[in-house]
Amino acid sequence: MEPLLAQASTERRDGRSLSEHVREGHPPLLGATARGGKGPWSLLLVLVGCAAPPPPAPKPVAPVVTATAEPVVVLPPSLQEESKRLLATAATTQDPHERCKLLSEAATLDPSPEARLARAESRCAPATVLLEDARAVFAAKKDARSATVLATVATRAEAKVDALAAAEVLVAQPDVAAMGLGARTFGRFGEFTRAASAYDLVAKARGDKGAVVDALDATIEAAMWTARAHGPDVKARLVAAIELAKGLVATYGAAWVRPRFVEAIAILRALGDPAGAKAVDAQAEKVLVLAQEEGHAIERAVADARAGKPEVAKLLAKKVRAERLASPPHRALLAVVARVGGKCGVARAHARAHANLPEATLTLADDVRWAADCDGNADEATLVPPRPVAVVDDATAVAVADPLRARSILETWVGAHADDVAARLALAALLPSSARPAVLAGPTLAREPSLLLALVEASTGSARADAARLLAAVLPSTVEAAVDPRATTPLLARAMSFAGPEDGWLDVAEGLLHACAAPRKAKACADGPALLAASTHLRRTRPAALCATGVALADADLGTARFRLDVTLACTSKKKLLPALSVTDEARGPFPSPEGALARAALATLQKKCPLARGNLVAASALKGEYPDEFAAVEAQCPAP
C-alpha cells in the first residue's frame, strides 16, 4: 500500500494539482465516497490513468527490525476539505492572479454554493462567465447576498432577466441597502413603474427608522421614476415632498435637496407636463427658495429655450468657463443652446461629453437627450474621454487578475467595433509599449483628442512629435475650445512633458501659450514645467510668438522666473519694448535674480541704459553658461568702459 499512498495526495508526483485531475474528469476509485463520507478510507483517492506511469519498483532492501509501532500515514483531505482550505487561503491572498487561481480551484474541486459565491463576487473572469456561478448561488438560496451578487453580475453582463429576478428578491429584503440596489436595478433596465414602487418601499423603511433625509431622497426618486413611467399624481407627490423638506435644508444642511427638486421639476417638464412642472417650481421656490441654487436658473433657462425663448440660455452659455465644463447642468445648457441654434454636431458632442461626466445630483439628462436627438452637421470633437461600454469596462476589471484574457476580449471587441475609442484605449494599456501606436492610430480616429494624447505617450522620436503636432491642431476645433480655449491646456501641458528636439513640438508649445491667454488676475493656466518647456522651444526659433503669447498670460503664469526670463528675452530680441516692460513689471509679481537681473539687463540694453545693463549683467553671472548669446549681445552693445 505504501506506493499507492505516496501517489494519493493533493499534489501528485507528476506535479499536477488535485483540482486539475478533477477538472479533467479522472475517476476517483478505491474508497472514494460521496461528500460527507466517514472513516479514513473515504479520504483516499487513487487516480487511474493520470499523467505518467508509476515509477519502477524499488530494489529489494533487507527489512530493518525496529521497536516502533505501526507507521503513521497522513492521508490526503477530501475534495470538500481541500476546497475549503483553498477558499480560506484565497481570502488572505493579496496577489489578484493567485487569488483568482485559488478561487477557481476551490470551485472546481467542490462546486458548493460557498465556492461559487466567492468566485462570483470576484472580478476573476468576464461577467458572462461568472453569471453561471451567480445563478447557481441564487438558485440555492434566495437571500440578500445571493441576490446582490446576481444583480451586480447580471447588470455587468447585460442579462436583463437575471437582473430583474434578483431585483425582485432585493426589494423584498428588510435591509434598506438591498432594497435600494433592487430599485436601481429596475431603473437601469427600464422598469420605471417597478423602480418607483421600490423607491416608495425604501422611503417608508427609511422613515420608519427615523432617517428623514434619506426618506426624502427616496421619496423624490420615487416621484421621478413615476414621472418617467407617466404614472399618476407626480405633481402631488412632489408638493408633499416639498413640505417634508421644508425644515431639512436649514436643519440638516442638506445641500443636495434643492438640486434634487430642480432635477425632478426638469423631468416632469421634459416628459410632457410643463404646467405641472411650473406649479411644483412655484411651490418649491416659495418653500425652499430655489433661487439660491445655480442649477435652478439653468433649468428655467433651458425650459424657456425649448419653448422658443432662448435669449437667457444664450447669455448664460456665454458665461461658461473651462472650470464649469465638468458640471452636468452646464453641459446640458450648452447642448440645448447648440440645438436651438441649429448646431446639431455641437449639440451631439456636448451630449456625448455629458454622458461621460461623473454622476451628479443635478444632470438635466432628459434635456440632453432631447438636444442629442438632432440630425444634421458633422460630429464635432470633444475633450472628454469616452466612457467604456459594459463589455470593455468588465474586461478592464478582469485585466487586474488575468491580463491575457482581458487582452483577448478587447482585441475581439475592437475588431468588431473599430471606432470604439474607449476600447482602443483599454486595449493599448494592456499591450507592450511598442505595440500601442498601431492600436491608437487610425484615419477614422484622427480627431479624437484622448487617442491622440495616448499616441503621444506611447510613441517616440519623430512619431511622437507628429502625434503631438496633430493633437495641437485638433484641440482648437473641439467644442470645449469654442467655449473657453483654456479647457485644452491640460492636454497640451501633458503633451509638452514629452517634448523632444523635433520641430513638431513648436506647434504644441505655441498652442499651449496661446490657449493660456487670460486677464492678468486670472488663475494659473498650467504648471511651471510645462510653460518652461514651451518657452525653451520657442525662444530661439519663434521669439515673436513667444513674446506675443507670453505677455498675454495671467500674472500667476509668470510666477516661474525662468519662463518669465525667456518671455522677456524673446521680446527684447525682437525689440518689443512695451511687452518687455509689461513682463518685467514688479506689479506682476516679484522677479528675483539671477533671472530677473538678466531680464533687466536685456531691457536696459534695449533702452540704451548701458550702466544699468552692465550692473544687472554682473548680478546675473550665474546664468552665463546657459544664456551665452544673451550675455554676448549685452556686452557687445554695452561694452565695459
Side-chain angles (χ1 to χ4, degrees):
M1 286 294 292
E2 290 184 8
L4 184 62
L5 290 172
Q7 295 179 56
S9 62
T10 56
E11 185 161 331
R12 289 162 39 87
R13 289 184 179 179
D14 57 10
R16 304 174 70 198
S17 67
L18 184 59
S19 62
E20 292 180 273
H21 292 293
V22 173
R23 191 182 299 114
E24 295 171 10
H26 298 166
L29 303 176
L30 298 180
T33 63
R35 183 183 305 170
K38 307 284 186 181
W41 285 104
S42 66
L43 303 178
L44 181 62
L45 299 177
V46 178
L47 303 175
V48 177
C50 296
K59 295 180 180 180
V61 179
V64 178
V65 179
T66 66
T68 59
E70 290 287 328
V72 178
V73 178
V74 180
L75 296 175
S78 67
L79 298 180
Q80 294 75 34
E81 290 173 339
E82 177 65 3
S83 177
K84 290 179 180 179
R85 185 189 70 79
L86 293 171
L87 288 176
T89 304
T92 60
T93 299
Q94 299 300 317
D95 180 72
H97 179 75
E98 183 63 24
R99 182 173 181 273
C100 288
K101 179 182 177 182
L102 292 169
L103 291 176
S104 178
E105 289 187 357
T108 301
L109 290 175
D110 180 23
S112 63
E114 294 77 15
R116 302 193 78 170
L117 176 64
R119 187 164 63 178
E121 287 180 325
S122 74
R123 299 299 291 266
C124 293
T128 51
V129 175
L130 298 178
L131 187 58
E132 289 302 319
D133 287 323
R135 285 170 175 162
V137 172
F138 184 71
K141 186 178 182 181
K142 293 179 173 60
D143 60 6
R145 187 175 180 185
S146 66
T148 297
V149 171
L150 181 59
T152 303
V153 175
T155 298
R156 293 202 308 260
E158 301 287 344
K160 180 177 179 178
V161 174
D162 293 296
L164 296 181
E168 290 178 355
V169 173
L170 287 169
V171 298
Q173 300 298 314
D175 179 65
V176 179
M179 295 167 64
L181 176 59
R184 291 193 298 274
T185 304
F186 281 135
R188 164 68 176 75
F189 287 97
E191 297 289 325
F192 300 151
T193 302
R194 296 164 83 179
S197 299
Y199 275 112
D200 280 333
L201 293 175
V202 173
K204 184 178 184 306
R206 291 292 192 189
D208 291 344
K209 293 184 177 182
V212 289
V213 174
D214 293 333
L216 172 62
D217 185 33
T219 299
I220 300 172
E221 195 73 43
M224 291 193 289
W225 286 110
T226 301
R228 287 194 172 95
H230 299 285
D233 304 325
V234 178
K235 173 184 170 183
R237 280 170 170 261
L238 289 174
V239 170
I242 289 170
E243 292 302 318
L244 180 62
K246 189 173 183 179
L248 296 182
V249 175
T251 304
Y252 289 86
W256 57 267
V257 172
R258 291 189 183 97
R260 289 293 273 168
F261 276 108
V262 174
E263 182 83 341
I265 291 166
I267 291 172
L268 188 59
R269 167 184 53 76
L271 294 176
D273 189 2
K278 191 171 183 179
V280 174
D281 181 80
Q283 183 66 14
E285 174 59 30
K286 178 181 177 181
V287 175
L288 302 176
V289 195
L290 287 186
Q292 296 182 11
E293 171 59 38
E294 182 185 20
H296 179 252
I298 294 176
E299 190 278 329
R300 289 292 84 200
V302 165
D304 289 342
R306 292 187 61 175
K309 296 176 288 184
E311 292 78 16
V312 175
K314 289 181 178 179
L315 288 175
L316 290 177
K318 288 181 180 179
K319 296 179 181 179
V320 176
R321 300 271 71 84
E323 60 271 16
R324 289 296 193 180
L325 290 172
S327 162
H330 286 86
R331 279 286 186 170
L333 170 69
L334 294 170
V336 170
V337 168
R339 172 165 177 176
V340 298
K343 299 177 181 178
C344 290
V346 175
R348 292 194 299 271
H350 281 302
R352 291 200 312 275
H354 183 280
N356 297 329
L357 294 176
E359 293 184 5
T361 304
L362 176 61
T363 65
L364 303 181
D366 293 273
D367 292 306
V368 174
R369 280 189 283 271
W370 174 82
D373 187 20
C374 177
D375 296 329
N377 306 128
D379 284 340
E380 301 288 340
T382 173
L383 300 177
V384 179
R387 178 173 292 178
V389 298
V391 173
V392 175
D393 185 59
D394 196 39
T396 303
V398 172
V400 175
D402 195 346
L404 292 179
R405 185 175 199 172
R407 174 177 169 177
S408 176
I409 294 169
L410 291 171
E411 285 176 341
T412 301
W413 182 264
V414 168
H417 306 83
D419 292 337
D420 191 326
V421 174
R424 286 182 176 272
L425 291 170
L427 176 58
L430 298 178
L431 295 175
S433 57
S434 60
R436 292 174 186 172
V439 173
L440 297 169
T444 62
L445 304 168
R447 299 186 71 245
E448 287 290 342
S450 54
L451 274 181
L452 289 172
L453 180 59
L455 187 58
V456 170
E457 296 171 346
S459 303
T460 57
S462 60
R464 171 176 280 173
D466 290 343
R469 182 166 47 194
L470 183 56
L471 175 66
V474 167
L475 289 180
S477 65
T478 60
V479 293
E480 291 83 3
V483 173
D484 184 356
R486 275 194 159 206
T488 65
T489 58
L491 277 74
L492 289 166
R494 173 64 177 165
M496 280 305 302
S497 68
F498 296 94
E502 297 82 10
D503 289 343
W505 293 102
L506 294 171
D507 292 341
V508 185
E510 188 172 347
L512 173 60
L513 298 184
H514 181 77
C516 279
R520 283 183 53 176
K521 299 306 178 185
K523 294 181 180 179
C525 170
D527 58 21
L531 294 177
L532 183 56
S535 67
T536 301
H537 277 75
L538 294 173
R539 182 165 58 88
R540 297 194 181 282
T541 52
R542 297 184 186 177
L546 176 57
C547 178
T549 55
V551 74
L553 299 182
D555 293 350
D557 286 319
L558 294 175
T560 302
R562 189 62 63 91
F563 171 71
R564 192 173 178 181
L565 169 61
D566 285 348
V567 175
T568 304
L569 294 176
C571 293
T572 56
S573 71
K574 303 303 290 185
K575 295 182 170 46
K576 301 289 186 180
L577 178 59
L578 291 179
L581 287 169
S582 174
V583 174
T584 57
D585 188 352
E586 290 287 336
R588 305 197 73 170
F591 198 179
S593 295
E595 289 84 4
L598 180 55
R600 288 186 286 272
L603 183 58
T605 302
L606 184 60
Q607 295 174 303
K608 306 211 182 285
K609 299 178 180 180
C610 286
L612 181 60
R614 288 194 296 269
N616 277 293
L617 201 62
V618 172
S621 59
L623 297 176
K624 189 169 185 178
E626 297 179 62
Y627 292 84
D629 294 343
E630 287 72 14
F631 271 77
V634 173
E635 291 168 347
Q637 296 182 56
C638 292

